[in-house]
Every structure is written in structure tokens, then in C-alpha cells.
Amino acid sequence: MKGESTNFMLLAFKEAQNAYNSNEVPIGAVVVKNGLVVGSGFNQVILHQSVSKHAEINAINAASKKLNNYRLTGCDIYVTLEPCHMCAKAIVDARLNKLYFATPEPKTGAVISIDTFLDSSHLNHRVSYSYGEMQQESAALLKKFFQLKRS
């Protein structure tokens, strides 16, 4: 499973590179069901002038459209950065099984960094999670992006 997990995180990283190449914060995501990618997305906040166009939301919407269902039971999501609260809630509401994320987000990460939202006892759906796959690559791409913005 680890090799398959790496392949899906690599696809999410390629989505993050699409964001980078589009001058968007380089975050990418893919939704997987039964070993197949059913949705992918990258940040498009600037392009669409919409705060809700995060990579996770875009990937969830693409998967929902492809599967013709807003409930993505039996699906997992791979993301290059720890989700914010908005995206963590969307992951729960979509009924995703598992979240894999590459690197923590110390300022807005809602899973392990500033909050442990997915561990909240009041949620009506449990999403398991793990992180660390491609952490260095994802963190380096984000760092490069923000260094270029500051120069």
C-alpha cells in the first residue's frame, strides 16, 4: 500500500505544481476510489476570485461530479498540505474514508497543527488520517513559492 500511497501523493504534488505554475499557492489534491483517481484539483483562489477554490474542495467537487454523488464513501483524499478548517469540514461532509497529507500547516492546519478537528467527538463521520509522505518536497515547493513572492 505504501507504494500506491506514494503514487497518489505524487499525483497530488503534480497538481500542486500546476498551482505553482498558475501563480497560485502550490497545493494539490486527488480523490481516489478503488485504486483509481476520481477527482483532482489545485488551488484556484486567484483565478476564480473565490476563497472556496482550495485544492481539496476542487478535487472533492470533481470526484462528486464524476461519481454523480456528493457522498464520496469508499474514497480517500491525498493533499500536499494539511487542510484548513473549511477543507477539513468538506472532507467530513463528503464522507471520505481517509485523509493523507504531506506536510503540516502551522498557521491554519486544522488536523494536527492549530486544531484536531477530525478528532472532534461531535462529528457524525470519522475520517482517519496520516501524514508525512512527500513532506520535504511539498514543504520545499511552498517555501520556494513564498520566497519568490517576497522578493
Side-chain angles (χ1 to χ4, degrees):
M1 183 66 181
K2 183 124 175 129
E4 190 172 83
S5 174
T6 300
N7 290 338
F8 294 131
M9 191 58 77
L10 183 58
L11 293 173
F13 186 76
K14 287 180 180 179
E15 291 294 325
Q17 290 173 314
N18 289 337
Y20 181 90
N21 294 336
S22 300
N23 204 31
E24 299 271 1
V25 176
I27 303 167
V30 296
V31 175
V32 176
K33 183 169 187 164
N34 299 326
L36 298 172
V37 174
V38 293
S40 61
F42 58 90
N43 271 9
Q44 295 182 331
V45 173
I46 297 167
L47 175 67
H48 293 284
Q49 293 297 298
S50 172
V51 297
S52 66
K53 297 299 280 183
H54 287 196
E56 300 93 326
I57 304 291
N58 292 336
I60 288 169
N61 286 340
S64 294
K65 186 173 183 177
K66 181 168 186 162
L67 298 175
N68 198 34
N69 197 335
Y70 70 101
R71 294 275 169 92
L72 299 175
T73 55
C75 296
D76 299 327
I77 189 167
Y78 295 78
V79 188
T80 58
L81 185 67
E82 177 182 2
C84 66
H85 280 97
M86 175 180 69
C87 293
K89 181 67 164 80
I91 288 166
V92 170
D93 289 348
R95 303 295 194 267
L96 290 159
N97 286 348
K98 186 161 185 177
L99 160 68
Y100 299 86
F101 65 93
T103 192
E105 204 327 340
K107 293 181 180 178
T108 62
V111 179
I112 62 167
S113 294
I114 63 161
D115 194 5
T116 55
F117 178 76
L118 295 181
D119 296 324
S120 299
S121 61
H122 69 276
L123 296 174
N124 62 350
H125 175 72
R126 292 273 165 222
V127 178
S128 61
Y129 58 89
S130 65
Y131 69 97
E133 192 80 35
M134 294 191 68
Q135 183 172 351
Q136 291 178 338
E137 297 88 342
S138 296
L141 184 62
L142 285 157
K143 185 176 181 181
K144 180 180 171 184
F145 177 82
F146 286 112
Q147 282 176 337
L148 284 172
K149 288 290 179 191
R150 291 183 191 109
S151 62

